[in-house]
Coordinates of all heavy atoms in Angstrom, one line a residue:
G157 N 93.1 43.3 106.8 CA 94.1 44.3 107.2 C 93.5 45.7 107.0 O 92.3 45.9 106.9
T158 N 94.4 46.7 107.0 CA 94.1 48.1 107.0 C 94.8 48.8 105.8 O 96.0 48.5 105.6 CB 94.4 48.8 108.3 OG1 93.7 48.1 109.4 CG2 94.0 50.2 108.3
Y159 N 94.1 49.6 105.1 CA 94.7 50.4 104.1 C 95.1 51.8 104.6 O 94.2 52.5 105.2 CB 93.8 50.6 102.9 CG 93.5 49.3 102.2 CD1 92.5 48.4 102.7 CD2 94.2 48.9 101.1 CE1 92.3 47.2 102.1 CE2 94.0 47.6 100.5 CZ 93.0 46.8 101.0 OH 92.7 45.6 100.4
V160 N 96.3 52.2 104.5 CA 96.8 53.4 105.1 C 97.3 54.4 104.0 O 97.6 53.9 102.9 CB 97.9 53.2 106.2 CG1 97.5 52.3 107.3 CG2 99.2 52.7 105.5
C161 N 97.4 55.6 104.3 CA 97.9 56.7 103.4 C 99.3 56.4 103.0 O 100.2 56.2 103.9 CB 97.7 58.0 104.0 SG 98.3 59.4 103.0
K162 N 99.7 56.4 101.8 CA 101.0 56.2 101.3 C 101.9 57.4 101.7 O 103.1 57.2 101.9 CB 101.1 56.0 99.8 CG 102.4 55.7 99.2 CD 102.9 54.3 99.4 CE 102.3 53.2 98.7 NZ 102.6 52.9 97.4
G163 N 101.3 58.5 101.9 CA 102.1 59.7 102.3 C 102.4 59.8 103.8 O 103.5 60.4 104.1
C164 N 101.5 59.3 104.6 CA 101.8 59.6 106.1 C 101.4 58.4 107.0 O 101.4 58.5 108.2 CB 101.0 60.8 106.5 SG 99.2 60.7 106.5
D165 N 101.0 57.3 106.4 CA 100.6 56.1 107.2 C 99.3 56.2 108.0 O 99.1 55.4 109.0 CB 101.8 55.6 108.0 CG 102.9 55.1 107.2 OD1 102.7 54.6 106.1 OD2 104.1 55.2 107.7
T166 N 98.5 57.2 107.8 CA 97.2 57.3 108.5 C 96.3 56.2 108.0 O 96.0 56.0 106.8 CB 96.6 58.7 108.2 OG1 97.5 59.7 108.7 CG2 95.2 58.8 108.9
P167 N 95.7 55.4 109.0 CA 94.7 54.4 108.6 C 93.4 55.1 107.9 O 92.8 56.0 108.5 CB 94.3 53.8 109.9 CG 95.4 54.1 110.9 CD 95.9 55.4 110.4
L168 N 93.1 54.6 106.7 CA 92.0 55.2 106.0 C 90.8 54.3 105.7 O 89.7 54.7 105.8 CB 92.5 55.7 104.6 CG 93.7 56.7 104.6 CD1 94.3 56.9 103.2 CD2 93.3 58.0 105.2
F169 N 91.1 53.0 105.4 CA 90.0 52.1 105.1 C 90.3 50.7 105.7 O 91.5 50.3 105.8 CB 89.9 51.9 103.6 CG 89.6 53.2 102.9 CD1 90.6 53.9 102.3 CD2 88.3 53.7 102.8 CE1 90.4 55.1 101.7 CE2 88.0 54.9 102.2 CZ 89.1 55.6 101.6
K170 N 89.3 50.0 106.1 CA 89.4 48.6 106.6 C 89.1 47.6 105.5 O 88.2 47.8 104.7 CB 88.6 48.4 107.8 CG 89.0 49.3 109.0 CD 88.1 49.0 110.2 CE 88.5 49.9 111.4 NZ 87.6 49.7 112.5
S171 N 89.7 46.5 105.5 CA 89.5 45.5 104.5 C 88.1 44.9 104.5 O 87.6 44.6 103.4 CB 90.5 44.3 104.6 OG 90.4 43.7 105.9
E172 N 87.4 44.9 105.7 CA 86.1 44.4 105.7 C 85.1 45.3 105.0 O 83.9 44.9 104.7 CB 85.6 44.1 107.1 CG 85.5 45.3 108.0 CD 86.6 45.4 109.1 OE1 87.7 44.9 108.8 OE2 86.3 45.9 110.1
H173 N 85.5 46.5 104.6 CA 84.6 47.4 103.9 C 85.0 47.5 102.4 O 84.4 48.4 101.7 CB 84.6 48.8 104.6 CG 84.2 48.7 106.0 ND1 85.0 49.3 107.0 CD2 83.2 48.1 106.6 CE1 84.4 49.1 108.2 NE2 83.3 48.3 108.0
K174 N 85.9 46.7 102.0 CA 86.3 46.7 100.6 C 85.3 45.8 99.8 O 84.9 44.7 100.2 CB 87.7 46.2 100.5 CG 88.3 46.3 99.1 CD 89.8 46.0 99.2 CE 90.5 46.4 97.9 NZ 90.2 45.5 96.8
F175 N 85.1 46.2 98.5 CA 84.3 45.3 97.6 C 84.7 45.5 96.2 O 85.4 46.5 95.9 CB 82.8 45.7 97.8 CG 82.4 47.1 97.3 CD1 81.9 47.2 96.0 CD2 82.5 48.2 98.1 CE1 81.5 48.5 95.5 CE2 82.2 49.4 97.7 CZ 81.7 49.6 96.4
D176 N 84.4 44.6 95.3 CA 84.8 44.7 93.9 C 83.7 45.4 93.2 O 82.6 44.9 92.9 CB 84.9 43.3 93.3 CG 85.4 43.3 91.9 OD1 85.6 44.4 91.4 OD2 85.7 42.2 91.4
S177 N 84.0 46.7 92.8 CA 83.0 47.5 92.1 C 83.1 47.3 90.6 O 82.2 47.8 89.9 CB 83.4 49.0 92.4 OG 84.6 49.4 91.9
G178 N 84.1 46.6 90.1 CA 84.2 46.4 88.7 C 84.8 47.6 88.0 O 84.9 47.6 86.7
T179 N 85.2 48.7 88.7 CA 85.6 49.9 88.0 C 87.1 49.9 87.7 O 87.6 50.7 87.0 CB 85.3 51.1 88.9 OG1 86.1 50.9 90.2 CG2 83.9 51.3 89.2
G180 N 87.9 49.0 88.4 CA 89.3 48.9 88.2 C 90.1 49.7 89.3 O 91.3 49.7 89.2
W181 N 89.4 50.2 90.2 CA 90.1 50.9 91.4 C 89.6 50.2 92.7 O 88.5 49.8 92.8 CB 89.8 52.4 91.4 CG 90.4 53.1 90.3 CD1 91.7 53.6 90.2 CD2 89.8 53.6 89.1 NE1 91.9 54.3 89.1 CE2 90.8 54.3 88.3 CE3 88.5 53.4 88.6 CZ2 90.5 54.8 87.1 CZ3 88.2 54.0 87.4 CH2 89.2 54.7 86.6
P182 N 90.5 50.2 93.7 CA 90.0 49.7 95.0 C 88.8 50.5 95.4 O 88.8 51.7 95.4 CB 91.2 49.9 95.9 CG 92.4 49.9 95.0 CD 91.9 50.5 93.7
S183 N 87.8 49.8 95.9 CA 86.6 50.5 96.3 C 86.2 50.0 97.7 O 86.3 48.8 98.1 CB 85.4 50.2 95.3 OG 85.7 50.7 94.1
F184 N 85.6 50.9 98.5 CA 85.2 50.7 99.9 C 83.9 51.3 100.1 O 83.5 52.3 99.4 CB 86.2 51.3 100.9 CG 87.6 50.9 100.7 CD1 88.5 51.5 99.7 CD2 88.2 49.8 101.4 CE1 89.8 51.1 99.5 CE2 89.5 49.4 101.2 CZ 90.3 50.0 100.3
D185 N 83.1 50.7 101.0 CA 81.7 51.3 101.2 C 81.7 52.3 102.4 O 80.7 53.0 102.6 CB 80.7 50.2 101.5 CG 80.8 49.5 102.8 OD1 81.8 49.7 103.5 OD2 80.0 48.6 103.0
R186 N 82.9 52.5 103.0 CA 83.0 53.5 104.1 C 84.5 53.7 104.4 O 85.3 52.9 104.1 CB 82.3 53.1 105.4 CG 82.9 51.9 106.1 CD 81.9 51.3 107.1 NE 81.0 50.5 106.3 CZ 80.0 49.8 106.8 NH1 79.9 49.7 108.1 NH2 79.2 49.1 106.1
E187 N 84.8 54.9 105.0 CA 86.1 55.3 105.4 C 86.2 55.1 106.9 O 85.2 54.9 107.6 CB 86.4 56.7 105.0 CG 85.8 57.8 105.9 CD 84.3 58.1 105.7 OE1 83.6 57.4 104.9 OE2 83.8 59.0 106.3
I188 N 87.4 55.2 107.4 CA 87.6 55.3 108.8 C 87.4 56.8 109.2 O 88.1 57.7 108.8 CB 89.1 54.9 109.2 CG1 89.3 53.4 108.9 CG2 89.3 55.2 110.7 CD1 90.7 52.9 109.2
K189 N 86.3 57.0 110.0 CA 85.8 58.3 110.3 C 86.9 59.2 110.9 O 87.7 58.7 111.8 CB 84.6 58.2 111.3 CG 83.4 57.5 110.8 CD 82.7 58.4 109.7 CE 81.4 57.7 109.3 NZ 81.0 58.0 108.0
G190 N 87.0 60.4 110.5 CA 87.9 61.4 111.0 C 89.3 61.4 110.2 O 90.0 62.3 110.4
N191 N 89.5 60.3 109.5 CA 90.8 60.2 108.8 C 90.8 60.6 107.3 O 91.8 60.7 106.7 CB 91.4 58.8 109.0 CG 91.8 58.5 110.4 OD1 91.7 59.4 111.3 ND2 92.2 57.3 110.7
V192 N 89.6 60.8 106.8 CA 89.4 61.1 105.4 C 88.6 62.5 105.4 O 87.6 62.6 106.1 CB 88.7 60.0 104.6 CG1 88.4 60.5 103.2 CG2 89.4 58.7 104.6
A193 N 89.2 63.4 104.6 CA 88.5 64.7 104.4 C 87.9 64.7 103.1 O 88.3 64.0 102.1 CB 89.5 65.8 104.6
F194 N 86.9 65.6 102.9 CA 86.2 65.7 101.6 C 86.1 67.1 101.1 O 86.1 68.0 101.9 CB 84.7 65.2 101.8 CG 84.7 63.7 102.3 CD1 84.6 63.5 103.7 CD2 84.7 62.7 101.4 CE1 84.6 62.2 104.1 CE2 84.7 61.4 101.9 CZ 84.6 61.1 103.2
S195 N 86.1 67.3 99.8 CA 86.0 68.6 99.2 C 85.2 68.4 97.9 O 84.9 67.2 97.5 CB 87.3 69.2 98.9 OG 88.1 68.5 98.0
T196 N 84.9 69.4 97.2 CA 84.2 69.4 95.9 C 85.2 69.8 94.8 O 85.9 70.8 95.0 CB 83.0 70.3 95.9 OG1 82.1 69.9 97.0 CG2 82.2 70.2 94.6
D197 N 85.2 68.9 93.8 CA 86.0 69.3 92.6 C 85.1 69.4 91.4 O 84.1 68.7 91.3 CB 87.3 68.4 92.5 CG 87.1 67.3 91.5 OD1 86.5 67.4 90.5 OD2 87.6 66.2 91.9
Y198 N 85.5 70.3 90.5 CA 84.8 70.6 89.3 C 85.7 70.3 88.1 O 85.5 70.8 87.0 CB 84.3 72.0 89.3 CG 83.3 72.3 90.3 CD1 83.7 72.8 91.6 CD2 81.9 72.1 90.1 CE1 82.8 73.1 92.6 CE2 81.0 72.4 91.1 CZ 81.4 72.8 92.3 OH 80.5 73.1 93.3
D199 N 86.7 69.5 88.2 CA 87.7 69.2 87.2 C 87.1 68.7 85.9 O 87.6 69.0 84.8 CB 88.8 68.3 87.7 CG 89.7 68.9 88.7 OD1 89.6 70.1 88.9 OD2 90.4 68.1 89.4
L200 N 86.0 68.0 86.0 CA 85.3 67.4 84.8 C 84.1 68.3 84.3 O 83.4 67.9 83.5 CB 84.9 66.0 85.0 CG 86.0 65.0 85.3 CD1 85.4 63.6 85.5 CD2 87.0 65.0 84.2
G201 N 84.0 69.4 84.9 CA 82.9 70.3 84.6 C 81.6 70.1 85.4 O 80.6 70.8 85.1
Y202 N 81.6 69.2 86.3 CA 80.5 69.0 87.2 C 81.0 68.7 88.6 O 82.2 68.3 88.8 CB 79.5 67.9 86.7 CG 80.2 66.6 86.5 CD1 80.2 65.6 87.6 CD2 80.8 66.2 85.4 CE1 80.8 64.4 87.4 CE2 81.4 65.0 85.2 CZ 81.4 64.1 86.2 OH 82.0 62.8 86.1
A203 N 80.2 68.8 89.6 CA 80.6 68.6 91.0 C 80.8 67.1 91.3 O 80.0 66.3 91.0 CB 79.6 69.2 92.0
R204 N 82.0 66.8 91.9 CA 82.3 65.5 92.4 C 82.9 65.6 93.8 O 83.5 66.6 94.1 CB 83.3 64.7 91.6 CG 82.9 64.4 90.2 CD 83.9 63.6 89.5 NE 85.2 64.3 89.4 CZ 86.3 63.7 89.0 NH1 86.3 62.4 88.6 NH2 87.5 64.4 88.9

Side-chain angles (χ1 to χ4, degrees):
T158 304
Y159 294 85
V160 302
C161 176
K162 183 73 74 80
C164 68
D165 292 331
T166 298
L168 302 171
F169 302 97
K170 295 181 179 178
S171 60
E172 65 252 31
H173 301 132
K174 189 171 188 292
F175 67 97
D176 186 358
S177 65
T179 61
W181 290 279
S183 297
F184 304 85
D185 69 356
R186 69 196 77 175
E187 78 283 3
I188 295 176
K189 297 287 184 209
N191 292 355
V192 176
F194 302 91
S195 65
T196 303
D197 93 42
Y198 295 91
D199 291 347
L200 298 179
Y202 59 91
R204 295 186 301 170

